[in-house]
């Protein structure tokens, strides 16, 4: 029989990971009295999950480690509709083929977070298109729709905001989303005896709709638990950078840039984020915070957070590459970079210029670097050359090198015969790929 961690719910609360729960003390007794099956849904709204999905993904893993069985639901059906919860306007409907492809991508990503071979608590990944796709409209209206009061649905905060927003409103399509998600809970209860749904606090209305429908259809007592939506202390949106969302797919956000995102977390957020996004104990996080408070050095928390989360998402090799690139840029040890490291920098780590080798020699070095944005003018580059503040692949350049760019680059050994990392001053970098 699976051992249950009876302190688990208290630990979640200590981490700040519980926003709302149904059932009061009943849910505590339910989770403490045996191994339970729970689920969390992920709609395919893009071809990858992003770090906004990390808290619920890690929650599935936390529940599994505490002795419960997780189900990850990928919304092949609900993804065709679009969740209106707290969205300013109607979502764009994607084609069935696009959603189907995204479903497969998400299945692969989710599979890295839970264990599928651990006995009674082995995880399952399901697609709600398997049961919604074969349902006809009359069955949906008669068997599901009759259990929902339009009055109650309109009063849900996520729907009411859309109705009250001038010029927007909500379509009947998105209005029915709550019914589909609620039916998922009832179906998973019927198929797998799933008795708990978890999700972000913006899903509270949909989750309570599911608990009510499961009771009406099957007489089942089920529960809901939400996690807080992650916010930053300065009021800006979590998970957004100047280049956009931080994705879990390394082809959309490189491990290096992923690592840098966590390194740059503000001091006001870092210990809270450690509780949310790592498996370090609450006591260990408190120790790190206390040591940082009395240290006269740079806090260790950001480094620890970046290492823990990058290893979790990209593995030991991804973390090692991110650390290697970071060290190389900090110490000008560019010779330590592999071709894959340079490709990460090209992807999203640095400004990049791809130049045809035949065209390289048409302009002086000053103009090439100014055009790349390393200075406002060629004169500023010339001044930097005079100060020996320009280097190519770690080789310092002087005024004597203000010749045709092709000659200047040729004097340096190109990494893998095509990459040239230019540094101006202490912090400005630019990667040139000569093709």
């Amino acid at each position: 029989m699976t051992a249950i961690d009876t302190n688990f719910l208290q630990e979640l609360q200590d981490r700040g990971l519980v926003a709302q729960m149904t059932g009061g003390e009943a849910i505590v007794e339910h989770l403490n009295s045996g191994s339970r099956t729970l689920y969390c849904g992920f709609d395919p709204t893009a071809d990858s999950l992003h770090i906004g999905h990390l808290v619920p993904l890690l929650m599935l893993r936390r529940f599994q480690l505490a002795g419960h069985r997780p189900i990850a639901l990928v919304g092949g059906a609900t993804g065709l509709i679009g969740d209106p919860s707290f969205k300013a306007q109607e979502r764009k409907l994607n084609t069935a083929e696009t959603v189907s492809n995204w479903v497969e991508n998400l299945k692969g990503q989710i599979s890295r977070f839970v264990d599928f071979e651990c006995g009674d608590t082995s995880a399952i990944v399901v697609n709600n298109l398997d049961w919604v796709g074969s349902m006809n409209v009359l069955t949906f209206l008669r068997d599901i729709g009759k259990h929902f009061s339009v009055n109650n649905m309109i009063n849900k905060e996520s729907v009411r905001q859309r109705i009250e927003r001038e010029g927007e409103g909500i379509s009947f399509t998105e209005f029915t989303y709550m019914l589909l998600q609620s039916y998922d809970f009832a179906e998973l209860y019927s198929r797998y005896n799933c008795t708990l749904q978890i999700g972000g606090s913006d899903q509270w209305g949909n989750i309570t709709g599911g608990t009510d429908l499961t009771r009406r259809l099957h007489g089942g007592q089920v529960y809901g638990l939400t996690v807080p939506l992650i916010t930053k202390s300065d009021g800006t949106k979590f998970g957004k950078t100047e280049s956009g969302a931080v994705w879990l797919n390394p082809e959309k956000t490189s491990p290096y840039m992923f690592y840098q995102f966590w390194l740059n977390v503000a001091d006001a957020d870092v210990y809270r984020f450690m509780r949310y996004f790592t498996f370090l104990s609450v006591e260990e996080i408190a120790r790190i915070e206390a040591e940082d408070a009395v240290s006269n050095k740079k806090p260790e928390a950001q480094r620890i957070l970046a290492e823990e989360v990058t290893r979790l998402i990209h593995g030991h090799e991804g973390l090692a590459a991110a650390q290697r690139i970071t060290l190389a840029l900090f110490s000008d040890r560019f010779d330590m970079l592999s071709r894959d490291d340079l490709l990460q920098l090209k992807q999203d780590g640095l400004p990049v210029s791809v130049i045809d080798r035949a065209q390289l020699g048409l302009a002086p070095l000053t103009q090439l670097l100014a055009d790349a944005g390393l200075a406002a003018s060629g004169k500023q580059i010339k001044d930097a050359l005079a100060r020996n503040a320009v280097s190519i692949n770690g080789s310092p350049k002087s005024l004597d090198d203000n010749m045709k760019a092709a000659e200047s680059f040729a004097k340096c050994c190109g990494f893998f015969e095509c990459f040239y990392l230019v540094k101006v001053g202490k912090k400005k970098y630019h990667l040139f790929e000569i093709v």
Side-chain angles (χ1 to χ4, degrees):
M1 184 175 178
T2 303
I4 304 301
D5 180 359
T6 55
N7 295 318
F8 173 60
L9 201 54
Q10 183 60 53
E11 183 195 336
L12 293 183
Q13 292 172 326
D14 292 343
R15 287 180 175 272
L17 283 172
V18 178
Q20 301 146 300
M21 293 187 300
T22 66
E25 287 300 315
I27 188 175
V28 177
E29 173 62 25
H30 182 67
L31 292 174
N32 287 345
S33 58
S35 178
R36 306 302 179 188
T37 300
L38 70 143
Y39 95 95
C40 184
F42 303 89
D43 275 351
T45 55
D47 59 357
S48 171
L49 298 171
H50 53 73
I51 61 173
H53 295 105
L54 263 182
V55 168
L57 279 170
L58 297 178
M59 283 288 279
L60 289 179
R61 179 63 176 159
R62 293 184 199 280
F63 269 93
Q64 188 173 44
L65 292 173
H68 304 286
R69 185 188 194 191
I71 298 176
L73 182 147
V74 183
T78 42
L80 290 168
I81 300 300
D83 183 1
S85 298
F86 300 97
K87 297 295 184 292
Q89 56 190 9
E90 193 89 4
R91 287 181 184 270
K92 174 181 172 289
L93 293 179
N94 296 298
T95 67
E97 181 181 8
T98 296
V99 171
S100 178
N101 290 335
W102 290 353
V103 163
E104 293 307 309
N105 290 351
L106 266 57
K107 280 183 178 179
Q109 290 183 324
I110 291 168
S111 298
R112 301 203 305 267
F113 289 86
V114 286
D115 190 346
F116 291 87
E117 297 180 358
C118 55
D120 294 342
T121 61
S122 295
I124 309 170
V125 176
V126 298
N127 182 349
N128 59 14
L129 190 64
D130 291 343
W131 52 83
V132 175
S134 59
M135 181 182 293
N136 64 57
V137 67
L138 287 177
T139 300
F140 176 74
L141 292 173
R142 286 174 59 86
D143 294 353
I144 310 302
K146 69 177 182 178
H147 294 294
F148 286 82
S149 162
V150 171
N151 303 52
N152 290 337
M153 292 175 68
I154 289 174
N155 285 324
K156 298 287 186 183
E157 185 180 359
S158 58
V159 174
R160 190 175 69 249
Q161 284 189 3
R162 281 280 291 276
I163 292 175
E164 293 175 351
R165 186 174 286 111
E166 185 176 350
E168 290 296 339
I170 184 171
S171 71
F172 177 74
T173 300
E174 287 197 353
F175 189 59
T176 62
Y177 184 93
M178 183 189 298
L179 278 69
L180 293 177
Q181 183 171 326
S182 298
Y183 184 59
D184 288 341
F185 201 175
E187 188 68 17
L188 292 175
Y189 173 81
S190 176
R191 293 182 178 216
Y192 302 105
N193 193 30
C194 176
T195 55
L196 175 66
Q197 181 183 174
I198 64 173
S201 58
D202 60 336
Q203 296 299 306
W204 180 249
N206 295 331
I207 290 173
T208 54
T211 60
D212 185 60
L213 182 63
T214 304
R215 177 181 58 79
R216 290 172 180 270
L217 289 181
H218 305 298
Q221 176 63 61
V222 295
Y223 303 89
L225 182 152
T226 65
V227 298
L229 295 182
I230 310 304
T231 56
K232 291 167 68 174
S233 58
D234 63 4
T236 58
K237 190 169 184 179
F238 171 77
K240 290 286 186 179
T241 64
E242 291 182 5
S243 57
V246 180
W247 302 94
L248 304 189
N249 182 344
E251 295 180 3
K252 292 171 73 73
T253 297
S254 69
Y256 164 72
M257 187 54 68
F258 187 87
Y259 179 74
Q260 289 297 315
F261 172 84
W262 298 102
L263 273 185
N264 290 309
V265 165
D267 291 348
D269 294 321
V270 65
Y271 306 104
R272 179 165 55 96
F273 287 0
M274 290 178 83
R275 292 192 290 271
Y276 289 167
F277 295 108
T278 78
F279 287 91
L280 297 174
S281 69
V282 174
E283 293 76 18
E284 174 69 4
I285 296 167
R287 183 191 64 78
I288 295 167
E289 184 173 6
E291 290 181 359
D292 282 346
V294 297
S295 171
N296 293 321
K297 301 177 183 178
K298 182 179 178 181
E300 288 290 303
Q302 280 86 347
R303 176 189 61 79
I304 296 169
L305 174 65
E307 289 177 357
E308 291 289 326
V309 185
T310 305
R311 186 187 297 110
L312 191 66
I313 304 304
H314 296 296
H316 292 285
E317 289 186 6
L319 171 60
Q323 291 174 318
R324 185 168 57 246
I325 296 169
T326 301
L327 178 61
L329 294 179
F330 179 77
S331 62
D332 290 346
R333 285 287 312 282
F334 306 132
D335 58 316
M336 65 195 297
L337 297 176
S338 70
R339 184 181 184 87
D340 284 343
D341 295 341
L342 289 161
L343 289 174
Q344 282 195 49
L345 286 174
K346 178 186 174 184
Q347 176 182 321
D348 57 9
L350 289 177
V352 178
S353 295
V354 180
I355 301 176
D356 188 283
R357 191 174 295 275
Q359 297 177 325
L360 185 60
L362 298 180
L365 182 63
T366 49
Q367 182 180 335
L368 179 73
L369 301 189
D371 289 346
L374 283 161
S377 66
K379 182 181 183 305
Q380 290 184 2
I381 295 293
K382 191 172 182 179
D383 292 342
L385 286 166
R387 302 191 311 271
N388 292 318
V390 176
S391 66
I392 301 179
N393 286 354
S395 174
K397 296 297 168 185
S398 67
L399 279 173
D400 294 337
D401 295 295
N402 188 25
M403 56 191 78
K404 288 184 178 180
E407 296 176 36
S408 189
F409 274 69
K411 287 186 175 183
C412 303
C413 179
F415 296 131
F416 308 99
E417 299 183 354
C418 62
F419 289 111
Y420 295 85
L421 193 56
V422 177
K423 182 181 181 183
V424 176
K426 293 184 177 180
K427 294 185 177 180
K428 284 196 172 182
Y429 292 92
H430 197 94
L431 183 65
F432 290 87
E433 182 181 15
I434 312 304
V435 296

